[in-house]
Each structure stands twice: as structure tokens, then as C-alpha cells.
């Protein structure tokens, strides 16, 4: 029997990814939704989280898809009501609040899953396997996209806690922390803040690598043209290039085959992971990508650039 799940926060990512993934899964039954503005067809809809939890005790799992700032209170309420919790990325507004949620879930014997959808792109596992045992000479992340395309008129991304360019940039960092054989940490960052916004629109990051490799990231959220989601690793045994956010892999310029679903498997894989975690009474709360963002904001040299308007 499929497990019953509720979706909380029905915005663009929920409509584009979560709902289709749940509807296609044999492991899940979408049984309720909570949103202030959107109704999901075919299920009971609520505007209040507590009302949903009281009305649907049969719902085992709550998947939280709202922006990071309000998410803690919703996750805390779900755990207090005895529900397993799945968190859209980034898992919270701060590291401390996610640590608190992890402690609450552990004490309650519940699953907490901090998801990183980009790790589920088709060739991320293959890239990780290829890099094992190789010496990194340089590792370059280029992550350019247009906020107007992916978050149209969503001012929360530029408000405190919204993370700005790190909302997409953390996707790159989730792949980096998954595939690099050695741990890295940030040495310096340069952040461009529009004069009328609270979060950066672009970032340049420089990392320490334990074996002397050069590791950098160039992130831009005011990009025109096609999205650029690329990671290139120059090693002693050749060059690995991940394109399209991990959906395409090249080794020494040769396109690799064997995983043809590109990015389409990301969210189905996340929900399959959640089903396994609940079945195993386990949690998965890897905060390394978010730690790099926190370090970037701590170390960042701030540049004020022209105002950003939609």
C-alpha cells in the first residue's frame, strides 16, 4: 500500500516537480495539500497546517516546499504531530534551525530528509565514481541562470533568508560536495548585492583543496540566454565535464551514455529515497552544501551593484 503524504507550500517547484513525481509513484499517495494561494486538484486543501494535521492523522509524511524562512515552524509542527518530514532545498533558513529539527526528529523516532535534488541528476553518480583515485588539478563550477525565468516576481528570494544567487548556487554545491573525493572549505568570496536587495545576485567563490587543486565557483543569477550549469574537473587522468546540472557527462570531450533521463529523474528519485528512509527508520540530513553558503556569506567581500527589478 502506498504511504499517504501531504504537500505543504504549493508554488512553482511543487507544481512543476513534486506533484508529477508523487502522481507517478506507486509508493506514495498525495492525500492533502496546504497552501495560501493554490489548490491541488483531487485532494483536500487547507490554508492552515495545524488544521490539516488534525484532519488527516493517516498522513504519515509531510513534504515542505515553501520558502526556507517559514519552513522551521511547519517542520516543527509536523514532527510534534508524529509525522516524518521531507525538506525541499535549502533545508532551512539557518544551519542552527535544521540541527534543531534533526534533534527533534531523532528524539521522536521520525525521519527527517534534507533533499538535494541536483544530486539525483542522471550522471552525478558516474562523475563521483570517475573521480575516485584521481588527482584534482582544477575544479571549476559555472552556474549561470536568469532569476526572472525561475522565480518570476518572487521577491522573497531577495529578502533576508532567501539566499539570492545561492538559491540555485546551492544546487551546484550539493553536487560538488557529493562528487569531490576530498573535503574542501571556503577561503574567500566576493558577493554582488543589488543596491535595492538584501541578498546577492552573483558570487565568486575560492575554496581550499587539501591536495593543492584549484577549486572555484562562478555564480550569476542575472544571466541572459541559455542556462549554464557546468562543473569541469581537470585531473591527472583526463578532464571530466558535467553539463546541464549533471544531466550530461563528458570525459575528455566524449559524451558518456548509460543514463539518459537527464534531470527528469531528480524528484522521483528523491521520493524513492524518502520511502526507503521511512521504511528503514532512518534520516538523511547532509548540511555540507548549506555550510559553504554560510561561509560565503560570512567571508564575503560585499560589492554594491545596480538595482535589480523584475
Amino acid at each position: 500500500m502506498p504511504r499517504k503524504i501531504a504537500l505543504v507550500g504549493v508554488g512553482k517547484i511543487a507544481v512543476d516537480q513534486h506533484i508529477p513525481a508523487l502522481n507517478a509513484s506507486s509508493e506514495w499517495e498525495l492525500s492533502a495539500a496546504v497552501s495560501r494561494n493554490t489548490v491541488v486538484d483531487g485532494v483536500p486543501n487547507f490554508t492552515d497546517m495545524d488544521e490539516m494535521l488534525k484532519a488527516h492523522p493517516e498522513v504519515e509524511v509531510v513534504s515542505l516546499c515553501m520558502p526556507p524562512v517559514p519552513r522551521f515552524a511547519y517542520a516543527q509542527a509536523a514532527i510534534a504531530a508524529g509525522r516524518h518530514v521531507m525538506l525541499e532545498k535549502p533545508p532551512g533558513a539557518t544551519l542552527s534551525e535544521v540541527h534543531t529539527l534533526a534533534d527533534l526528529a531523532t528524539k521522536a523516532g521520525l525521519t527527517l530528509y534534507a533533499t538535494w535534488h541536483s544530486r539525483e541528476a542522471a550522471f552525478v553518480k558516474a562523475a563521483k565514481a570517475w573521480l575516485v583515485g584521481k588527482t584534482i588539478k582544477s575544479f571549476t563550477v559555472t552556474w549561470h541562470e536568469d532569476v526572472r525565468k525561475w522565480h518570476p516576481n518572487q521577491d522573497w528570494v531577495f529578502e533576508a533568508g532567501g539566499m539570492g544567487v545561492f538559491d540555485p548556487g546551492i544546487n551546484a554545491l550539493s553536487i560538488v560536495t557529493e562528487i569531490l573525493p576530498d573535503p574542501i572549505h571556503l577561503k574567500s568570496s566576493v558577493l554582488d548585492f543589488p543596491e535595492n536587495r538584501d541578498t546577492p545576485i552573483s558570487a565568486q567563490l575560492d575554496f581550499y583543496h587539501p591536495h593543492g587543486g584549484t577549486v572555484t565557483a562562478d555564480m550569476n543569477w542575472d544571466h541572459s540566454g541559455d542556462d549554464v550549469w557546468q562543473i569541469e574537473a581537470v585531473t591527472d587522468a583526463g578532464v571530466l565535464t558535467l553539463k546541464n546540472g549533471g544531466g550530461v557527462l563528458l570525459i575528455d570531450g566524449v559524451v558518456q551514455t548509460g543514463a539518459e533521463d537527464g534531470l527528469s529523474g531528480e524528484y522521483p528519485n528523491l521520493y524513492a529515497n524518502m520511502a526507503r528512509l521511512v521504511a528503514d527508520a532512518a534520516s538523511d540530513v547532509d548540511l555540507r552544501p548549506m555550510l559553504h553558503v554560510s561561509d560565503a556569506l560570512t567571508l564575503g567581500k560585499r560589492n554594491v551593484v545596480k538595482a535589480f527589478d523584475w
Side-chain angles (χ1 to χ4, degrees):
M1 292 290 291
R3 297 181 185 274
K4 296 184 184 298
I5 189 170
L7 195 61
V8 181
V10 187
K12 180 175 171 57
I13 193 66
V15 172
D16 291 349
Q17 300 291 347
H18 288 263
I19 293 173
L22 287 168
N23 287 341
S25 174
S26 62
E27 296 179 293
W28 297 102
E29 177 186 329
L30 181 56
S31 299
V34 179
S35 175
R36 292 178 299 175
N37 304 306
T38 305
V39 172
V40 178
D41 292 338
V43 302
N45 287 269
F46 298 82
T47 58
D48 183 86
M49 174 74 157
D50 290 334
E51 288 183 9
M52 185 278 292
L53 291 170
K54 291 176 183 176
H56 291 279
E58 78 282 3
V59 167
E60 295 182 66
V61 177
V62 174
S63 180
L64 300 178
C65 307
M66 77 281 292
V69 169
R71 200 178 299 154
F72 174 82
Y74 285 81
Q76 184 182 39
I79 292 169
R83 318 304 169 90
H84 307 289
V85 174
M86 183 170 171
L87 301 169
E88 176 60 81
K89 66 87 191 173
T94 69
L95 290 162
S96 295
E97 69 180 34
V98 185
H99 282 300
T100 297
L101 291 176
D103 290 342
L104 290 172
T106 298
K107 291 175 183 176
L110 297 168
T111 292
L112 183 69
Y113 182 23
T115 68
W116 301 106
H117 67 81
S118 289
R119 288 182 175 175
E120 303 300 330
F123 284 97
V124 169
K125 289 182 176 64
K128 179 178 181 177
W130 190 86
L131 287 172
V132 171
K134 296 179 174 64
T135 299
I136 302 290
K137 297 180 178 180
S138 67
F139 192 93
T140 306
V141 177
T142 307
W143 222 256
H144 295 175
E145 63 181 67
D146 185 359
V147 63
R148 297 172 183 86
K149 172 183 176 182
W150 294 104
H151 290 281
N153 297 307
Q154 296 179 29
D155 283 319
W156 67 265
V157 298
F158 285 115
E159 295 171 356
M163 294 194 180
V165 72
F166 292 114
D167 178 87
I170 206 168
N171 295 334
L173 296 173
S174 73
I175 297 175
V176 171
T177 51
E178 180 67 14
I179 70 175
L180 264 181
D182 300 296
I184 58 173
H185 66 259
L186 201 71
K187 295 192 298 182
S188 65
S189 64
V190 178
L191 310 177
D192 293 332
F193 285 76
E195 62 183 7
N196 61 335
R197 303 291 178 171
D198 295 326
T199 58
I201 197 165
S202 63
Q204 303 289 324
L205 309 181
D206 184 18
F207 293 89
Y208 165 84
H209 186 271
H211 303 300
T214 300
V215 181
T216 60
D218 174 14
M219 300 174 179
N220 182 8
W221 219 7
D222 197 15
H223 174 72
S224 60
D226 294 336
D227 301 317
V228 180
W229 300 325
Q230 179 171 302
I231 296 173
E232 181 183 81
V234 178
T235 78
D236 61 339
V239 179
L240 175 148
T241 306
L242 268 178
K243 292 187 174 182
N244 192 28
V248 175
L249 174 64
L250 294 84
I251 303 296
D252 292 330
V254 178
V255 176
Q256 305 299 294
T257 60
E260 307 303 334
D261 60 348
L263 306 184
S264 64
E266 289 184 343
Y267 281 85
N269 288 348
L270 291 181
Y271 279 102
N273 293 345
M274 185 62 178
R276 286 192 293 271
L277 288 169
V278 172
D280 293 341
S283 289
D284 183 348
V285 187
D286 180 3
L287 297 181
R288 289 176 296 163
M290 196 171 171
L291 186 64
H292 289 316
V293 172
S294 179
D295 287 351
L297 294 171
T298 299
L299 292 173
K301 177 181 177 181
R302 180 185 179 115
N303 291 328
V304 178
V305 298
K306 66 180 182 180
F308 174 86
D309 295 303
W310 300 104

